[in-house]
Amino acid sequence: MLDLLLDRYTAIRRGTISDRWVRAEHVKSSLGYADGDRIADFIAGDKYGGGAEGLKLALHGHEVKVSRADFLSELRDPSKADAIKRYMHHWWLVVPDAAIVKPGELPEGWGLLAPGSDGKLRARKSAPRLSPEQPPLSFIMSLMAASSRTAHREPLRRDAPVTFGRRYARHCGFCNTPSPCAIHQPRALAASGQTLKEAS
């Protein structure tokens, strides 16, 4: 499910390496190992703010549930999600099958994401824009740390997207080197038959 979220929240502007989204997996509600810390499975930051005021900048929080029992357990303790949801502009439940959630069960203010017929995550119910609290510095630092860890893990799980430069030259969408990039596109590099030395 996290790989589907990585794909949903990647949008690199053509001819650039400017990604609309910043991604972070397993974000704790605060730094350290304090008892009662909560974890958001995935947070995506939308950098396309819609003008100088940035009125549309948004944090999208995600709670992943892989079974109905898992979802019902979440419903029994709403404080788990609220520990981080209160800092988000949108909050999503992400499930492998929309049938996990029966009509009327989705909590107020939540959206629902589930795979469509193409295998990609689709909004089954849009998450409304919320009015979040100002997050404390400890949460901001936790989010930054999780984003950094996620960026390091991404090449282990998927290749960076290809972006196209002048004359349709292929480049790595993360670092703008010629594609396939030895660091961010290891699978494409292996498929091309090139060696690390040739690609460098």
Side-chain angles (χ1 to χ4, degrees):
M1 297 305 294
L2 290 176
D3 288 344
L4 292 178
L5 284 164
L6 285 175
D7 287 340
R8 177 177 174 83
Y9 294 104
T10 301
I12 296 176
R13 186 180 297 162
R14 185 177 179 84
T16 74
I17 57 169
S18 176
D19 195 336
R20 174 177 178 172
W21 301 97
V22 179
R23 298 166 291 278
E25 299 173 351
H26 308 300
V27 183
K28 293 180 67 175
S29 57
S30 64
L31 291 170
Y33 299 95
D35 290 340
D37 268 353
R38 302 301 190 181
I39 297 176
D41 293 312
F42 192 92
I43 293 177
D46 189 349
K47 300 187 302 182
Y48 287 12
E53 296 81 18
L55 298 178
K56 295 182 182 177
L57 294 173
L59 292 174
H60 293 251
H62 301 78
E63 187 69 30
V64 176
K65 297 298 172 191
V66 297
S67 68
R68 178 156 175 80
D70 199 15
F71 169 60
L72 293 177
S73 175
E74 181 74 19
L75 289 183
R76 286 192 288 271
D77 186 4
S79 67
K80 288 173 62 180
D82 288 342
I84 294 179
K85 176 179 175 276
R86 61 185 175 167
Y87 307 132
M88 300 292 110
H89 299 88
H90 302 275
W91 190 256
W92 299 89
L93 175 67
V94 187
V95 293
D97 183 350
I100 286 174
V101 183
K102 304 301 182 190
E105 287 184 331
L106 196 65
E108 183 71 25
W110 290 41
L112 179 64
L113 291 173
S117 59
D118 59 358
K120 295 181 181 297
L121 287 176
R122 303 293 180 195
R124 301 306 178 91
K125 180 177 188 290
S126 294
R129 188 166 178 104
L130 307 171
S131 299
E133 297 176 20
Q134 181 69 34
L137 187 56
S138 61
F139 175 74
I140 293 171
M141 292 296 188
S142 177
L143 178 57
M144 291 173 68
S147 181
S148 178
R149 288 192 304 271
T150 301
H152 284 290
R153 284 196 300 264
E154 279 195 45
L156 301 176
R157 296 163 53 193
R158 64 166 184 164
D159 278 4
V162 172
T163 187
F164 295 90
R166 292 181 181 174
R167 299 181 182 173
Y168 297 96
R170 296 166 60 89
H171 294 276
C172 171
F174 289 170
C175 68
N176 209 32
T177 60
S179 182
C181 164
I183 297 172
H184 302 116
Q185 298 171 324
R187 294 155 194 81
L189 179 66
S192 73
Q194 293 183 55
T195 65
L196 282 173
K197 186 174 181 180
E198 290 169 338
S200 298

